[in-house]
Amino acid sequence: MGITFFLDSANPSDWEDWANTGLFKGITTNPTLLKQSNQACNIENLRVLAKKVSRLDYKELHIQSWGKNSHEILERGMEIAKMSSNRLDIYIKIPITIEGIKAAKELINNGLKVTFTACYEPKQTLIASALGANYIAPYLGRMNDLKQNGMADIRSMQKILINSDSNCKLLIASIRQEREITQLAQEGIKTFTISPYIANRLVTTY
């Protein structure tokens, strides 16, 4: 398996712009990106957006659930999962908090696909591995903002998943520079979600 890219955007115009390149396997989004794109963060609108993603022939869509407690996160996650089809796999993004973990356990036990999000520390990959999540998304840029060595921490996360024989994959998010992708790819990390800005820089030569 080679490198897998996702487009980190809630803007259908971005999806359309990149659909014919074949560069992106799917789309990742969250409530913040929805707000930035003037898209309502509710189940009805997410259904509409999922259909647009499917029509553009992307294969995966990662949608973040939300709520004040595990019950609300689980309830919305179950609704999000119903947007899956034979053309489009839906992954439910769950913040890796105690309430999110409770919801994720139930979703995974029901055979649904889960991406843990808002990962900042290597120890959180232990949780993703133990629960059997499909992906966990470290936020590289934000980790560096917190004065961590984000690259080193992500390398540690990769070692944890490999050495625990986990099927969970790292999905690197919050990438600020395209060279970060090449550096991590040299470490055997293969899956990245990138903004349209980084996508444009990736395909531009100087």
Side-chain angles (χ1 to χ4, degrees):
M1 185 186 78
I3 298 295
T4 299
F5 286 117
F6 293 91
L7 187 63
D8 199 29
S9 170
N11 188 337
S13 294
D14 293 334
W15 307 345
E16 292 168 5
D17 289 345
W18 289 96
N20 292 330
T21 66
L23 186 60
F24 294 97
K25 184 176 184 179
I27 304 296
T28 61
T29 190
N30 59 50
T32 299
L33 290 175
L34 289 164
K35 184 177 181 180
Q36 290 173 355
S37 298
N38 296 314
Q39 294 286 344
C41 184
N42 58 52
I43 296 299
E44 182 178 359
N45 188 51
L46 290 173
R47 287 195 191 101
V48 173
L49 294 176
K51 289 178 182 178
K52 289 182 180 180
V53 170
S54 182
R55 284 197 297 269
L56 291 168
D57 206 30
Y58 292 106
K59 304 306 180 186
E60 291 184 17
L61 174 59
H62 296 239
I63 302 176
Q64 187 166 327
S65 186
W66 68 96
K68 297 176 182 177
N69 53 52
S70 61
H71 175 75
E72 290 182 359
I73 297 169
L74 174 60
E75 190 174 63
R76 292 189 178 110
M78 297 293 283
E79 289 299 314
I80 289 168
K82 293 176 184 177
M83 301 172 199
S84 186
S85 70
N86 58 358
R87 290 172 54 93
L88 183 68
D89 284 330
I90 297 291
Y91 288 74
I92 308 154
K93 292 176 67 177
I94 304 289
I96 193 162
T97 63
I98 187 63
E99 294 301 310
I101 291 166
K102 292 175 187 176
K105 177 183 76 83
E106 296 300 325
L107 293 167
I108 293 166
N109 286 347
N110 279 278
L112 301 176
K113 296 179 172 71
V114 166
T115 297
F116 273 124
T117 190
C119 172
Y120 297 99
E121 298 182 58
K123 66 183 181 182
Q124 292 174 305
T125 55
L126 301 171
I127 298 167
S129 179
L131 266 67
N134 299 88
Y135 292 97
I136 183 167
Y139 285 10
L140 175 58
R142 297 189 198 177
M143 291 162 71
N144 290 331
D145 290 344
L146 294 170
K147 309 303 180 186
Q148 298 171 225
N149 187 332
M151 300 292 280
D153 282 347
I154 287 174
R155 287 194 291 268
S156 295
M157 294 174 188
Q158 179 78 338
K159 289 179 182 178
I160 289 169
L161 293 178
I162 290 171
N163 291 333
S164 63
D165 292 324
S166 176
N167 290 321
C168 182
K169 293 183 284 188
L170 293 181
L171 173 56
I172 312 303
S174 187
I175 293 168
R176 307 273 175 79
Q177 301 177 57
E178 66 272 23
R179 64 178 174 81
E180 294 170 338
I181 301 171
T182 60
Q183 289 170 353
L184 289 170
Q186 291 177 66
E187 301 288 339
I189 294 166
K190 301 177 180 180
T191 310
F192 306 88
T193 183
I194 60 176
S195 68
Y197 170 76
I198 293 295
N200 277 301
R201 289 188 60 85
L202 191 65
V203 301
T204 301
T205 55
Y206 301 95

